[in-house]
Structure formats: C-alpha cells, structure tokens
Amino acid sequence: MKTGITINGQSVHIPSTWDDVTFSQFLQMKDCKDDSVLLSVLTGIDVELCRQIKPNILEAILSPVANIGEVEMLDDVQILGKPVPSKVGSMEFARKVNCDALSRNYQDEEMIGRMVAIYCAQGIEDEDIEAMYQLVLGESFTCVVSAGRLISNQLIEMQKVEEKIKKPEYENEEWQAGIDDFKKYGVAGLVRGIALRHHCTKEDVFKWSYNSVLLELMQAADENAYQRKLNKILNHKK
C-alpha cells in the first residue's frame, strides 16, 4: 500500500511494501547516495527539486520506505499476468545455457531478474530475452524475486541430477595424450557431439528440451562406461 503525499503541488506515492516497488526502482535504490536521489527514484520527481527539501522533512517523507521490512515471497507468482514456469526442464536447453552464463556478467538481483526474463520470454534469441527483461523491470520487486526463487530452486535440483552423471574413467595414456584439453570447449563441445550423433545442427540441439539433452548425456555416459568395461574384459582374455 502506497502513502500519498503532495510535493511542490505534485501528487506522488511513497511505497510502504515491496509490492509497491518495481524491480527497476529496487536496482536503482541500491546505488542511491542520499535520500534526495532515493525520493527521485521512487517518485519520478526531478532530483534537483528533491534536494531542495529539508533533511528532516525528507526523512519523514521516506519513513514508510525505512520501515518497509522483509520481502514476503509469493508461492503463486505471475510475471506479466502469466504463471512462472514450474517445469523449466521441459523448456529449451538454450535457456539453461543462458542461465549458466549469467554469473559471468551479472550479480545479485540483476542476475535474478535476467534469469526470470530467460525463462519467461517467448523465444530463446537474445532479443527475445532482452525485450522480456525490459518488461520485467516494470514488475514489482516482490514478484520478480519470488519468480527467481521458483526458477532457482528448479535449477538447483537439475544441477543435482547432472552431478550424478557418471564421469568417464580415462586411462593414463588418454591423460598423457591430452584428453583434458577438450574441457575448454565446454557446452559447445557437448552440443557438437550430440549434433554429430543425431545428424542435426547445433542450433537444433539448443532447441531440444533440457530434459532431452540430460537424457542424452546420461545414456552417453552409461554407454561409455559399458564400452570401457567391455574392452577391459576382452583385452584381459587375449
């Protein structure tokens, strides 16, 4: 619920809960150097006009913000009037790849907002995600962080499954030959391998669901482990 006041003849509203603060405003609030800038961010009033307000009056105006409290997370959360995806594993693999790359370029809440944009965007192209992020900026801070929690919890569970995939047990000769060098290709190498096995393009693989890619990796790991064991058994008989 916002508190309505009048400043220099202009009617404005001061947020008293996180529901009243947009995600964009929150990101700007973190960088506010003083209360004048904060008031400008929250109301849209020119910062120079805000600087003319006496400190004690400014403090009183912003008192609802000072007592805003903790964010009350939502269990049933929507972004732009649509439910946040509850089965992100069934969505395109490209979305998971984009999320994994976020930590290299963003931090904290902005990373959360962009993660929400990745999974709420209609498409998987960069322009689709950026367009959605601009819309996410206008959503309430409560909705965005609640959506982020819902998506993040799913990603954590997905990561746990990934960690259970069998790791290949390389022979000493393979290490000496430089098998470890292939790690530098990361996801690109993984996608290339799947594309070659299925005679499709790398772009096709990125459009597969994450669950389909995960199943492919699990099967490939099991086949690799089986083949290595079989080769050892056969070599032992020679």
Side-chain angles (χ1 to χ4, degrees):
M1 181 177 180
K2 295 185 177 182
T3 302
I5 61 172
T6 301
I7 299 177
N8 197 33
Q10 184 175 344
S11 178
V12 296
H13 294 86
I14 307 298
S16 56
T17 71
W18 288 113
D19 289 341
D20 303 329
V21 178
T22 68
F23 188 63
S24 175
Q25 287 174 327
F26 175 82
L27 295 179
Q28 295 176 72
M29 286 170 66
K30 296 199 314 178
D31 298 324
C32 289
K33 297 179 180 179
D34 55 51
D35 285 347
S36 298
V37 178
L38 177 58
L39 181 60
S40 177
V41 166
L42 294 176
T43 64
I45 295 176
D46 184 85
V47 67
E48 294 305 319
L49 178 59
C50 293
R51 293 191 193 284
Q52 298 175 21
I53 301 175
K54 294 181 179 180
N56 61 320
I57 297 178
L58 192 58
E59 182 180 355
I61 292 174
L62 291 173
S63 60
V65 180
N67 300 309
I68 205 167
E70 299 293 327
V71 179
E72 293 186 11
M73 293 291 185
L74 305 174
D75 293 324
D76 183 17
V77 58
Q78 296 186 346
I79 294 294
L80 300 179
K82 296 182 179 180
V84 174
S86 59
K87 296 181 179 180
V88 298
S90 64
M91 302 179 76
E92 297 92 339
F93 177 59
R95 297 181 193 265
K96 175 65 162 56
V97 174
N98 284 332
C99 272
D100 289 343
L102 286 177
S103 60
R104 296 198 292 268
N105 301 302
Y106 305 101
Q107 295 180 345
D108 304 328
E109 286 79 10
E110 184 177 2
M111 185 166 67
I112 293 174
R114 291 191 175 275
M115 176 177 65
V116 171
I118 287 171
Y119 277 105
C120 290
Q122 289 190 344
I124 58 175
E125 301 300 329
D126 290 345
E127 55 267 28
D128 298 320
I129 296 169
E130 184 58 32
M132 174 55 71
Y133 180 67
Q134 295 305 314
L135 295 174
V136 167
L137 288 172
E139 290 287 275
S140 80
F141 178 67
T142 300
C143 283
V144 176
V145 294
S146 296
R149 183 186 64 167
L150 175 60
I151 295 171
S152 180
N153 286 343
Q154 295 179 72
L155 294 178
I156 290 172
E157 293 304 313
M158 289 157 62
Q159 182 63 35
K160 289 179 181 178
V161 176
E162 288 181 32
E163 291 172 355
K164 293 180 181 179
I165 296 176
K166 294 178 181 177
K167 302 294 189 295
E169 298 179 1
Y170 296 119
E171 302 292 341
N172 289 334
E173 293 80 4
E174 290 176 290
W175 288 113
Q176 293 172 9
I179 189 68
D180 204 38
D181 292 342
F182 288 97
K183 285 185 177 180
K184 64 187 176 184
Y185 298 109
V187 174
L190 179 154
V191 170
R192 178 178 179 274
I194 295 176
L196 289 173
R197 285 195 294 275
H198 290 269
H199 306 288
C200 62
T201 67
K202 290 182 286 186
E203 289 73 19
D204 290 333
V205 177
F206 279 116
K207 293 177 183 178
W208 285 17
S209 73
Y210 166 83
N211 289 339
S212 296
V213 173
L214 179 65
L215 180 60
E216 179 74 17
L217 294 179
M218 295 172 70
Q219 290 177 332
D222 287 343
E223 289 171 0
N224 181 277
Y226 164 78
Q227 193 61 53
R228 287 177 179 277
K229 288 181 181 179
L230 179 60
N231 289 341
K232 285 184 179 180
I233 292 172
L234 295 175
N235 290 334
H236 183 71
K237 288 184 176 181
K238 291 180 180 179

